[in-house]
Amino acid sequence: MSDHHTSPPVRRFRPLVRMRPRDPDEPHRAATPLELLFDLCFVVAVAQAGVRLAHAMAENHPVHGIVGYCFVFFAIWWAWANFTWFASAYDTDDVPYRIATFVQIFGVLVLAAGVPRAFDHSDYSVTVVGYIIMRIALTFQWLRAARNSTGAVRTTALRYAVGLVITQIGWVFVALFLPAGVWRWGYILMAAADLSVPSFAERRQRTNWHPRHIAERYGLFTIIVLGESILAATVAVQTALDEFSAIGELLPITFGGLLIVFSAYWTYFSLPVHEHLNTSARAILWGQGHYFIFGSAAAIGAGLEVSVELAVHKAHISQTVAAAAVTVPTALFLLATYLIHSRHAKSGRAEHAVLPISMLLVLASTFCGSWAVLVAGLTMAAGVAVEEVLHSRRWAALSKV
């Protein structure tokens, strides 16, 4: 008997092809093994940033830790985002493309190696070198795309290349020549300039990024940063086994941390978002807003590590500060996810109120002493349950119409 089912086309590796924009409506578009390898290497950089944040918080240097974390995480996240959007539009998967991607991966590892210097000594020279390596490879990709394109598509690719070169020169100037007193202001200025490049480049012609593919890629990176919290929960279990006298304080942290991670996953992936990404302006705002989603999700893991260290008397902070290291990034994750990601699929005041109310209750749990993490986890789980009930009722009502 013949098989009448249509299988998705198989993309076969070819040594060299013309780099042309891919079809934004291409069926069965999914993340490639090379993209997954790229993401895996970013785990190292995210983990380094989280460890340094946890250490700074445990040593009672919250301002230094938070500022350093925000700066370092911006470099990590923006480098990942630049590659992701380019790959969604121009992934040819031939020899030059793979080599350029490997160079970018090398840059990621250099950036990760520079994270301790950036945190401990405010020396961002190594992270900037890693950033330069990644930017050189990405600029080559955009120039290659311009060479194989014409008209407005070529102009967009050239604008991206020019924007990358100009901003990278600015980053080098800020890192090497600005005095310490104004360095942070220079960093903020360059971050804003970097974020403006996509809007400048796609002003007349958007690149052919694939909405479903982009939504999947951001979802995969969300899983990666939530994985840092899973690792922290694992450390809590291991510490409980080694420090049995503190098991009464460590078990609530473990279960509360897992509830937070599971609820965060459920909240982010509860509804599809690709249909919202139907214009460049919406997609850019959605994509750039994920800095707060990714950054807060990874910071939850750092906060859990701080709570574990306090439970075994290795942290020099109060119980409230240790709890805030978990509850504040958790609340930020809920707020950012609602404003940037999930509100577009909600209907009615009740559905829109769940995440903001959950955020306030999570913040209030900061003052629950050693039970703060568990209370925050239970609060998030209750919010998920309420959301599911409201969502089910809405669909049941629509099915009767």
Side-chain angles (χ1 to χ4, degrees):
M1 295 179 65
S2 61
D3 186 2
H4 296 286
H5 294 287
T6 303
S7 300
V10 178
R11 296 186 73 226
R12 299 184 181 279
F13 174 74
R14 290 177 291 173
L16 184 64
V17 299
R18 287 179 62 85
M19 179 171 275
R20 292 177 175 174
R22 294 184 65 166
D23 181 4
D25 299 315
E26 178 183 344
H28 311 293
R29 183 72 190 275
T32 66
L34 185 58
E35 288 176 316
L36 298 179
L37 176 63
F38 190 82
D39 289 357
L40 180 63
C41 294
F42 269 86
V43 173
V44 179
V46 172
Q48 285 275 20
V51 167
R52 293 293 161 171
L53 174 61
H55 178 73
M57 294 295 295
E59 294 298 320
N60 202 20
H61 302 300
V63 175
H64 173 76
I66 293 170
V67 172
Y69 176 79
C70 290
F71 282 6
V72 168
F73 197 88
F74 175 84
I76 296 169
W77 159 76
W78 192 234
W80 176 87
N82 274 245
F83 166 81
T84 297
W85 288 85
F86 178 87
S88 188
Y90 285 101
D91 182 4
T92 53
D93 196 32
D94 58 356
V95 169
Y97 181 88
R98 288 189 178 185
I99 292 176
T101 302
F102 292 153
V103 172
Q104 287 179 272
I105 289 175
F106 174 67
V108 173
L109 301 180
V110 173
L111 187 152
V115 169
R117 287 172 175 261
F119 263 91
D120 298 341
H121 309 292
S122 296
D123 179 5
Y124 289 82
S125 57
V126 177
T127 60
V128 170
V129 169
Y131 208 46
I132 290 173
I133 293 171
M134 288 185 283
R135 286 305 186 89
I136 289 174
L138 186 60
T139 301
F140 162 78
Q141 296 277 51
W142 280 114
L143 290 174
R144 186 182 174 208
R147 183 174 179 271
N148 289 276
S149 304
T150 58
V153 174
R154 182 174 185 273
T155 300
T156 297
L158 287 174
R159 284 182 172 180
Y160 265 111
V162 170
L164 289 173
V165 171
I166 292 175
T167 53
Q168 194 55 57
I169 292 173
W171 281 116
V172 172
F173 175 81
V174 167
L176 299 182
F177 300 108
L178 279 189
V182 296
W183 187 90
R184 290 178 179 177
W185 295 108
Y187 189 107
I188 294 172
L189 178 63
M190 287 313 307
D194 231 338
L195 291 172
S196 69
V197 171
S199 297
F200 160 73
E202 303 199 19
R203 184 170 55 183
R204 295 183 180 177
Q205 175 69 41
R206 59 163 275 187
T207 52
N208 282 20
W209 45 267
H210 194 290
R212 287 182 179 272
H213 176 249
I214 285 294
E216 181 192 20
R217 297 289 293 116
Y218 273 72
L220 291 172
F221 202 74
T222 300
I223 293 173
I224 285 177
V225 292
L226 287 176
E228 295 299 314
S229 300
I230 295 290
L231 177 60
T234 303
V235 170
V237 174
Q238 180 181 349
T239 306
L241 295 175
D242 297 337
E243 304 280 348
F244 194 77
S245 60
I247 194 170
E249 295 182 57
L250 289 168
L251 286 181
I253 296 172
T254 302
F255 291 122
L258 288 175
L259 282 174
I260 289 173
V261 175
F262 296 158
S263 300
Y265 169 87
W266 200 306
T267 298
Y268 186 90
F269 291 98
S270 60
L271 295 168
V273 76
H274 64 271
E275 293 179 357
H276 172 69
L277 308 179
N278 52 15
T279 68
S280 289
R282 282 186 174 183
I284 289 173
L285 180 62
W286 177 86
Q288 294 183 353
H290 269 69
Y291 168 74
F292 300 99
I293 295 177
F294 293 157
S296 59
I300 292 171
L304 290 173
E305 291 184 30
V306 172
S307 294
V308 170
E309 291 195 18
L310 181 66
V312 295
H313 311 292
K314 293 182 180 180
H316 309 290
I317 53 176
S318 67
Q319 182 69 65
T320 302
V321 172
V326 178
T327 58
V328 171
T330 301
L332 179 58
F333 176 86
L334 290 172
L335 179 62
T337 300
Y338 170 71
L339 293 176
I340 297 160
H341 184 72
S342 64
R343 68 182 176 89
H344 309 293
K346 295 184 180 297
S347 176
R349 292 181 180 180
E351 287 189 23
H352 279 280
V354 173
L355 287 183
I357 291 175
S358 297
M359 177 201 70
L360 295 175
L361 293 175
V362 166
L363 286 176
S365 68
T366 304
F367 305 100
C368 292
S370 59
W371 295 90
V373 177
L374 180 58
V375 172
L378 291 171
T379 298
M380 286 192 69
V384 168
V386 172
E387 276 199 318
E388 287 301 308
V389 169
L390 293 173
H391 183 67
S392 298
R393 287 180 177 177
R394 173 156 62 97
W395 281 105
L398 289 174
S399 64
K400 294 179 181 178
V401 176

